[in-house]
């Protein structure tokens, strides 16, 4: 197994353990809708569909980026891709860095289109890979899976905690600017669990970014996962105060929305059910993304992933019913309970 494959395998193993979820909440539990005891709706008339990247989606929910590129990677990706296709929701790929360096892995990823010929697929690379290899690598990542958009993840905390992680982050913003100007598909910038705050968002918007996925604190903790992979006591001591570093997702959504009405905003990081999706939409997100809760079903089967999607979708529909919201536009203005 290569270093990268071993790392990805460790990530999957550790991400499944609840102890590597952030101990501070994403903040969604503090957002309470005003209960509507007079919905005046039939549940059958509730429409939670949306349009994302100009394509129909059955709900404002996508499968968040999770890593392939290891022994179980192909099984996971196949189950996620088939489920995305059948349930008509988008799927974000895990980092394609390893696959682009290895012909066998690249072939595995190219198979995704066989399993999901019509689904919205989002490519994925890290900001430092873009800085090191330029737009050409991003274009190859897009072409290899005919991606509908390209996600660039920014993970400086994870890289600090990761043994041999990237420490040189100079020039990442310039690389993103170039990518937005020349890539053949839209560019989405995301974090991986520490969140994108208003100041960084402004800098991204100023260089042409139109899509941001928040990936705030409250769900999978990469500082905790990477810290568990090192046996260096000194490194663990340094990382310890940063386990809950970051900004919570529920706070960031309205902050970024008030900054720009045009920005397309994807809520993520610690969303754990369809009610959290409803809360995200109410707070100003256009779309939501959930990663870790799909990992165990993805190891099992396509049907298990579809079942998880259907549960999230039904929870969203219940929240819409109980707020009297016939569609997502109505949900955006559903009254919140005042504290
Ligand atoms: C096993 C696993 C692997 C991941 N790999 C990637 C990755 O390769 N690229 C990326 O942008 N994010 C990756 N993520 C981060 C997620 O996309 C997401 O931002 C983060 O886990 C927070 O969402 P969650 O709380 O719903 O898990 C990964 C998450 C998990 C659980």
């Amino acid at each position: 197994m290569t270093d990268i494959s071993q790392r990805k395998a460790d990530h999957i193993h550790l991400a499944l353990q609840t102890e590597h979820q952030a101990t501070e909440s994403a903040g969604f539990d503090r957002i309470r809708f005003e209960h509507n005891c007079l919905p005046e709706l039939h549940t059958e008339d509730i429409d939670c569909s949306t349009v994302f990247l100009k394509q129909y989606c059955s709900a404002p929910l996508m499968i968040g980026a999770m890593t392939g590129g290891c022994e179980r990677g192909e099984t996971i990706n196949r189950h996620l891709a088939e489920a995305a296709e059948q349930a008509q929701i988008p799927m974000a790929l895990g980092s394609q860095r390893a696959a682009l360096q290895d012909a066998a892995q690249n072939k595995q990823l190219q198979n995704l289109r066989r399993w999901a010929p019509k689904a919205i697929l989002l490519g994925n690379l890290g900001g430092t890979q873009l800085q090191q290899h330029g737009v050409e690598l991003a274009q190859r990542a897009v072409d290899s899976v005919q991606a509908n958009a390209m996600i660039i993840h920014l993970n400086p905390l994870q890289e600090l905690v990761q043994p041999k992680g990237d420490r040189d982050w100079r020039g990442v913003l310039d690389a993103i600017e170039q990518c937005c100007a020349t890539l053949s598909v839209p560019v989405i910038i995301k974090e991986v669990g520490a969140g994108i705050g208003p100041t960084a968002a402004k800098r991204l918007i100023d260089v042409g970014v139109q899509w941001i996925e928040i990936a705030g604190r409250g769900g999978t903790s990469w500082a905790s996962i990477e810290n568990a992979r090192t046996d260096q006591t000194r490194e663990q001591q340094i990382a310890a105060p940063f386990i809950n570093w970051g900004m919570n997702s529920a706070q960031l959504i309205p902050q970024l929305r008030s900054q720009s009405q045009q920005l397309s905003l994807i809520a993520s990081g610690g969303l754990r059910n369809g009610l959290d999706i409803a809360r995200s939409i109410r707070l100003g997100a256009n779309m939501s993304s959930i990663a870790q809760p799909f990992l165990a079903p993805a190891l099992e089967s396509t049907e298990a992933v579809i079942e998880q999607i259907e549960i999230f979708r039904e929870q969203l529909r219940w929240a819409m019913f109980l707020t009297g919201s016939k569609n997502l536009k109505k949900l955006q203005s559903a009254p919140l309970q005042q504290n």
Side-chain angles (χ1 to χ4, degrees):
M1 220 190 253
T2 66
D3 277 3
I4 299 185
S5 302
Q6 182 58 54
R7 187 167 78 227
K8 304 292 171 201
D10 289 352
H11 285 167
I12 289 170
H13 171 70
L14 293 165
L16 285 165
Q17 300 170 10
T18 48
E19 69 192 78
H20 298 301
Q21 294 291 297
T23 52
E24 289 189 27
S25 100
F28 289 109
D29 44 355
R30 288 193 284 278
I31 310 296
R32 292 181 178 244
F33 284 105
E34 189 179 319
H35 169 62
N36 184 343
C37 59
L38 284 168
E40 293 288 339
L41 285 173
H42 192 300
T43 51
E44 282 173 5
D45 296 332
I46 289 174
D47 176 11
C48 68
S49 69
T50 189
V51 172
F52 177 64
L53 293 168
K54 300 189 181 148
Q55 244 176 266
Y56 171 90
C57 297
S58 67
L61 164 65
M62 69 183 205
I63 298 173
M66 281 188 290
T67 269
C70 64
E71 240 172 73
R72 292 186 288 180
E74 187 171 19
T75 314
I76 292 174
N77 278 332
R78 178 178 188 152
H79 293 157
L80 293 176
E82 287 178 343
E85 177 81 16
Q86 287 177 47
Q88 294 187 283
I89 66 164
M91 169 188 171
L93 275 63
S95 174
Q96 293 169 265
R97 170 193 178 185
L100 291 171
Q101 288 167 351
D102 175 308
Q105 279 193 39
N106 202 23
K107 201 154 175 41
Q108 274 183 24
L109 270 195
Q110 284 165 354
N111 275 337
L112 278 181
R113 269 298 168 205
R114 224 189 292 152
W115 302 319
K118 296 209 193 91
I120 301 174
L121 292 183
L122 311 173
N124 189 300
L125 281 176
T128 49
Q129 288 133 37
L130 194 64
Q131 160 234 45
Q132 288 157 18
H133 304 283
V135 182
E136 189 262 339
L137 184 75
Q139 191 61 56
R140 277 207 289 138
V142 169
D143 295 342
S144 69
V145 290
Q146 295 148 49
N148 302 75
M150 185 68 198
I151 293 183
I152 304 296
H153 65 261
L154 304 178
N155 61 341
L157 171 62
Q158 181 185 9
E159 296 290 342
L160 274 183
V161 188
Q162 191 175 100
K164 298 196 211 138
D166 283 328
R167 299 284 174 118
D168 183 1
W169 278 71
R170 291 169 299 178
V172 173
L173 191 60
D174 277 353
I176 289 173
E177 180 169 20
Q178 269 204 13
C179 203
C180 290
T182 53
L183 201 70
S184 63
V185 294
V187 176
I188 301 172
I189 306 296
K190 81 184 273 281
E191 237 284 342
V192 299
I196 295 182
T199 312
K202 180 168 183 328
R203 291 165 71 204
L204 290 166
I205 293 166
D206 286 349
V207 300
V209 172
Q210 293 173 8
W211 296 83
I212 288 182
E213 181 184 331
I214 285 176
R217 184 195 62 206
T220 305
S221 165
W222 285 97
S224 173
I225 289 179
E226 295 295 356
N227 215 20
R229 291 183 58 241
T230 173
D231 49 12
Q232 308 279 323
T233 324
R234 182 174 182 275
E235 305 306 318
Q236 285 173 337
Q237 266 180 19
I238 296 172
F242 296 91
I243 295 296
N244 273 313
W245 176 270
M247 301 166 283
N248 89 27
S249 305
Q251 244 171 15
L252 289 176
I253 303 168
Q255 285 178 358
L256 265 54
R257 173 53 69 220
S258 66
Q259 203 169 40
S260 162
Q261 290 302 313
Q262 283 75 45
L263 183 69
S264 295
L265 202 52
I266 305 171
S268 70
L271 277 74
R272 289 296 174 260
N273 52 56
L275 177 51
D276 289 345
I277 300 173
R279 288 160 162 153
S280 299
I281 299 296
R282 173 61 184 82
L283 291 174
N286 305 89
M287 186 70 182
S288 67
S289 171
I290 299 183
Q292 194 270 357
F294 284 116
L295 190 53
L299 284 163
E300 197 184 317
S301 64
T302 301
E303 291 67 34
V305 180
I306 293 174
E307 175 71 0
Q308 185 62 81
I309 295 168
E310 283 175 355
I311 289 170
F312 288 151
R313 210 163 38 198
E314 196 57 13
Q315 290 168 331
L316 168 63
R317 291 167 58 82
W318 279 32
M320 292 173 74
F321 183 67
L322 295 172
T323 54
S325 311
K326 193 176 175 181
N327 51 39
L328 295 178
K329 188 151 183 31
K330 288 262 185 223
L331 182 65
Q332 282 166 355
S333 56
L336 291 178
Q337 215 183 332
Q338 305 299 327
N339 289 320

